[in-house]
Structures are given as structure tokens and as C-alpha cells.
């Protein structure tokens, strides 16, 4: 039954599988979560590298001249260069395409193979980037990194959600986002240090540093077990039972959960064309979420900060050192606030975090918008911010980042990975990754242009989206905490709106008979 009109009660679900969080499952999830590190490292590294003079001079001489001569009188447009943003955003286009190939690998060959493939391709990209002597090499390296990210982001969240006991799914899945944020911070820190290296080759270390997380996930994936769900899906039924026993605890009766996984797998075998099936009316709630959640996650505007924090801070008149320092601060806040979500999403639920986070981000964007309007006005003439205004900008950006970090950041990966039935899970996750990457690409590519044309209005633009997403969650996203992943259809069945799309069991059986 719908509770409170918009949500479904977790009490409706009678399943209550026994099983604690074993150290074995915790180890597997911890190792797989390292996949987030490669994504995070990329996000964090490009902003810092593209603000290094030696890097700009070598690969983007026109941007370098513009900045060095300071021949732009308009602060907002100082860094605007399509080719520079292409360096950042080409990775996301490659990840988008790769996520569709990853869908097949993840479904046919298992989650861990997808992770390992991603790690290896990423490693190659990191090496090429570190050795780059021209723009072509740089872009090829970026594309390989993107393919790696596409595979990892497609498989790791699924792996975590399937491996975790359902009561801890939020915490363990948030490990992925935690690793993303650690990757970003690590990259910011590396940039901060390499920018100080004389001789102008520090950027090579920054780009090559990506090889470290890549090696970890490649080796880690080799030793990881696959998930019971995936083993059953690929007909390794005995191995799946043993695996389930091992991850839930040897003293636990796993029979009920195992039978449910087998039933889910049997149902999934009826589906030969997941891409066609996912379009069916009965999967509409999941399909809408797999598009809306990543789209809205990107329209929080988080990557305006994550990609371009040093550039943005420079635009605001901060010095080189202060810019990199400020991005370190936001990176640190990002990690700490994500940790909070690890401990809260299973206790308080996904919805409350989404709603609070969205509201807090909205307020912060409005304030930052006004602070910048007040400092630059609409001509963007280089007026240096007073130290009070600079501190206020950094403070509200940190409050914005923390709100994202305990809401849309982790939940943007967790919720899509837990709502799909097995038969369309891999395809659904690919849609989630592809949509996320597409809008990450758009933001990466057009953000500096938007800053140049919309000026401080950019912050109000994102604020408007934060309002929309909060209303969307309030009305359309049911609570998913504490529900076994293969029982998730119940939340749609008891939702005020989505219940119209989910057939009753009898109707479904009738439909299957007809087929
Ligand atoms: C998003 C990224 C973002 C990162 C920031 C992730 O969940 O998908 O686009 O840069 O969080 O922590």
C-alpha cells in the first residue's frame, strides 16, 4: 500500500533474508569499489592540468597566449576554448559508447570481467597520456581512459548492489562514490604538487598517476569472485550457491534467497532481447529513472566545480596557488560528506537525502550567483574579489558540494543499480551510464562557454534545475531502502503513479501464456 501518498512502505515487503555483513563480502565490495577511483581521478585531474601554464603552452598555445597576455578583459570568458574543453569532455563520449559494449560483457561474461577489461584499457590510456608529445596522443589516451570508465561504471555499481546484503546495500554501494571522491581529491593533491615542479613536465606525472588506480582495479578484479546473481544468470548454479553461502556467512540458511535468485534468473531467461524488453510498458518506471536520475545528477552543476574549480577560482580572481588550494578544500569536503551518506542511506532512506540535498544545493547556488553578480556585475570586468567575498564564495561552494556528496552523488549511482529486475539490469545500467556520460560531456564541453555567455546567471540556471529535481523526487521516486533487489517490483506496485504501469501477477501470467 502506498504510504503518505507518494512512497511505498518497506514493511510491505515480507522477505527478510538472514545473513550479516561478512568480512568476505565487505572485502569483495571494498575491492570492487576501487573502480570508482579511476573515474574520480579523471574528473579531478583535468581541471588542474588545464590550468597549468606548461601544459597549455604545449598543447593549447592559443589559450595559453590568451591567458598569459591576459588579453581578455572579460573575466567570465578568460578560459573559453572549445578545444580545451574537448580535452576534458572527449573522455565522456568514449565512456558513453563503451557502456553499451560493457552491457554485453557484463551480462554474458560476468561483472568482474567487465571491471578487469575496464581497468586494463584505462591503464593503457594513462600510459599514453603520460607520454604524449602531441594533441593527437593526448586525445587517444583520453578516449582509452573513457572506455575504461565506461566499463567500470557499468559493472561496479551492479556488482556492489548484488553482492551486498540488502540491508547494507546503500552503505556498500556508496563505497563506489566514496572512491570517486577519493580519486578526485587524490588527483587534486597530485596537481597541487606537480604544478610546483620546475621544468614544465609536472603534468606528465599528473596524467600518468592514473595508472595507479587502474593497476589496482585490474589486479583486484582478477581475484574477485563474481556475484551469485551473475553466476546463476550464466548457469553456474552450484558455484552460485557456494558463493552466496560464503558472502552471507557459512552458518546462515541461504536457501530462500538462493531460490529467489534462481526464480529471478528463470524469469530473466524469457527475455532474449533486453534492449527491446526495457521499452515495454511494464518497465517504464525503471526506464524513466535510469534516464532522469543521471540527467538530473549532472544538472546539479556539480561538474562545474569538479572539472573547473581551479579555472573557476582563477576566473574569480584567485591567484594560481589559491585556486588549486581552494579546489583541494572542495575535494576534501566532498570525501567527508560522502562518508556521511555511507552511514545514512540505509538508516534514513534515499528519499530524505535526495530532498535535503536538493534543497541545500538550490540555496547555495542562489547565494553564490548573487555573490558573483555583486563582485563582477554583468560585464565581468576583472575586479578582484575582497577577501570576505572570496571566503563566502568558497564557503557556499563547499556547502553545495557537501549537499551533493550525501545525496545526488552516491544516490545517482545507487538507485539505478538497485531498481532493475535481473533480465534488464545490465541494459538498464548501461542507459544510466550513457545518459550520465552524455550530460557530463555536455557540461564539460559547454560549461566555460555558458559561463562566458550566461555569466553569473549560470548559477541561477543550475539552481532552477535543483528545484525541478527535488520536486521530481518528491512525487516520483519511491523509497528503495531495505528491500531485496529481486523484490524491488513491489515499490512500483504500491506507488501512486507508477502502479498504473506495473501489471498484476495474474495479468502478467496471462500475457506470458499468450506469448
Ligand atoms: C558524478 C560525477 C561527479 C562526482 C563528484 C559523481 O557521482 O557522476 O559526475 O563529478 O560524483 O563527486
Amino acid at each position: 500500500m502506498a504510504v503518505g501518498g507518494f512512497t511505498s512502505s518497506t514493511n510491505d515487503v515480507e522477505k527478510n533474508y538472514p545473513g550479516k555483513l561478512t568480512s568476505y563480502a565487505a572485502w569483495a565490495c571494498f575491492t570492487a569499489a576501487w573502480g570508482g577511483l579511476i573515474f574520480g581521478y579523471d574528473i579531478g585531474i583535468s581541471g588542474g592540468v588545464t590550468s597549468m601554464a606548461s601544459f597549455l603552452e604545449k598543447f593549447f598555445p592559443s589559450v595559453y597566449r590568451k591567458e598569459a597576455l591576459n588579453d581578455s578583459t572579460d573575466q567570465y570568458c578568460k578560459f573559453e576554448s572549445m578545444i580545451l574543453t574537448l580535452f576534458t569532455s572527449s573522455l565522456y563520449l568514449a565512456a558513453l559508447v563503451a557502456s553499451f559494449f560493457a552491457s554485453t560483457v557484463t551480462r554474458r561474461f560476468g561483472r568482474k570481467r567487465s571491471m578487469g577489461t575496464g581497468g586494463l584499457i584505462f591503464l593503457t590510456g594513462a600510459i599514453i597520456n603520460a607520454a604524449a608529445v602531441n594533441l593527437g596522443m593526448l586525445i587517444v589516451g583520453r578516449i582509452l581512459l573513457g572506455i575504461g570508465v565506461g566499463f567500470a561504471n557499468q559493472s561496479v555499481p551492479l556488482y556492489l548492489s548484488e553482492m551486498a546484503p540488502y540491508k547494507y546495500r546503500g552503505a556498500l554501494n556508496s563505497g563506489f562514490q566514496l572512491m570517486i571522491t577519493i580519486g578526485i581529491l587524490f588527483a587534486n593533491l597530485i596537481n597541487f604538487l606537480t604544478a610546483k615542479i620546475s621544468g614544465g613536465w609536472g603534468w606528465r606525472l599528473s596524467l600518468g598517476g592514473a595508472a595507479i588506480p587502474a593497476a589496482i582495479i585490474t589486479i583486484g578484479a582478477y581475484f574477485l569472485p563474481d556475484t551469485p546473481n551473475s553466476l546463476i544468470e550464466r548457469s553456474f548454479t552450484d558455484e552460485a550457491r557456494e558463493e552466496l553461502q560464503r558472502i552471507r556467512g557459512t552458518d546462515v540458511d541461504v536457501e530462500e534467497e538462493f531460490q529467489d535468485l534462481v526464480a529471478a534468473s528463470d524469469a530473466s531467461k524469457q527475455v532474449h532481447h533486453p534492449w527491446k524488453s526495457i521499452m515495454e510498458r511494464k518497465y517504464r518506471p525503471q526506464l524513466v529513472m535510469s534516464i532522469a536520475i543521471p540527467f538530473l545528477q549532472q544538472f546539479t552543476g556539480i561538474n562545474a566545480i569538479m572539472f573547473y574549480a581551479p579555472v573557476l577560482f582563477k576566473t574569480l580572481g584567485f591567484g594560481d596557488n589559491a585556486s588549486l588550494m581552494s579546489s583541494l578544500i572542495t575535494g576534501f569536503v566532498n570525501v567527508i560528506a560522502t562518508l556521511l551518506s555511507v552511514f545514512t542511506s540505509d538508516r534514513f532512506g534515499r528519499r530524505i537525502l535526495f530532498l535535503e540535498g536538493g534543497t541545500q544545493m538550490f540555496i547555495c547556488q542562489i547565494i553564490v550567483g548573487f555573490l558573483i553578480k555583486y563582485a563582477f556585475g554583468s560585464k565581468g570586468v576583472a575586479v578582484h574579489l575582497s577577501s570576505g567575498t572570496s571566503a563566502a564564495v568558497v564557503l557556499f561552494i563547499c556547502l553545495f558540494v557537501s549537499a551533493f556528496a550525501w545525496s545526488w552523488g552516491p544516490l545517482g549511482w545507487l538507485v539505478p543499480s538497485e531498481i532493475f529486475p535481473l533480465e534488464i539490469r545490465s541494459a538498464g545500467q548501461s542507459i544510466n551510464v550513457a545518459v550520465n556520460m552524455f550530460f557530463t560531456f555536455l557540461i564539460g564541453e559547454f560549461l566555460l562557454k555558458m559561463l562566458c555567455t550566461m555569466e553569473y546567471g549560470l548559477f541561477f540556471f543550475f539552481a532552477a534545475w535543483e528545484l525541478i529535481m527535488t520536486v521530481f523526487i518528491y512525487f516520483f521516486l519511491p523509497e528503495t531502502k531495505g528491500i531485496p533487489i529481486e523484490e524491488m517490483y513491489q515499490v512500483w506496485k504500491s506507488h501512486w503513479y507508477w502502479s498504473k504501469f506495473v501489471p498484476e501477477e495474474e495479468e502478467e501470467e496471462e500475457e506470458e501464456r499468450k506469448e
Side-chain angles (χ1 to χ4, degrees), residues 238-299:
D238 293 341
E239 288 87 338
R241 188 196 290 273
E242 275 169 33
E243 191 53 41
L244 188 65
Q245 192 75 66
R246 211 173 303 145
I247 59 178
R248 299 291 181 252
T250 42
D251 52 342
V252 170
D253 179 6
V254 295
E255 200 49 34
E256 190 188 3
E257 184 173 4
F258 179 72
Q259 289 310 334
D260 285 346
L261 293 186
V262 171
S265 170
D266 288 345
S268 86
K269 296 220 165 93
Q270 313 293 324
V271 171
H272 301 291
H273 305 289
W275 291 106
K276 201 169 134 215
S277 301
I278 206 168
M279 300 300 161
E280 285 171 24
R281 186 180 156 83
K282 64 178 174 183
Y283 297 128
R284 200 55 45 80
Q286 292 94 331
L287 181 65
V288 168
M289 290 302 157
S290 73
I291 296 171
I293 291 181
F295 162 75
L296 293 170
Q297 190 209 48
Q298 287 309 312
F299 275 80

Side-chain angles (χ1 to χ4, degrees), residues 39-40 43-44 92 153 176-177 180-181 184 294 297-298 302-303 306-307 334 338 401 404-405 408-413 436-437 440:
F39 181 38
I43 296 168
Y92 300 95
N153 286 14
F176 177 64
Q177 176 70 13
I180 295 179
T181 60
I184 297 175
Q297 190 209 48
Q298 287 309 312
I302 185 67
N303 283 325
M306 293 299 137
F307 291 161
N334 198 13
T338 305
V401 169
F404 175 88
W408 281 86
L411 301 176
W413 294 103
N436 194 309
M437 294 302 133
T440 309

Side-chain angles (χ1 to χ4, degrees), residues 45-78:
I45 211 73
S46 46
V49 168
T50 50
S51 72
M52 286 180 199
S54 55
F55 178 82
L56 288 180
E57 191 181 4
K58 186 165 179 65
F59 297 107
F60 305 95
S62 61
V63 186
Y64 171 73
R65 276 194 299 277
K66 195 165 157 194
E67 201 212 349
L69 299 174
N70 207 4
D71 62 359
S72 168
T73 48
D74 191 341
Q75 284 291 98
Y76 293 118
C77 301
K78 215 168 146 182

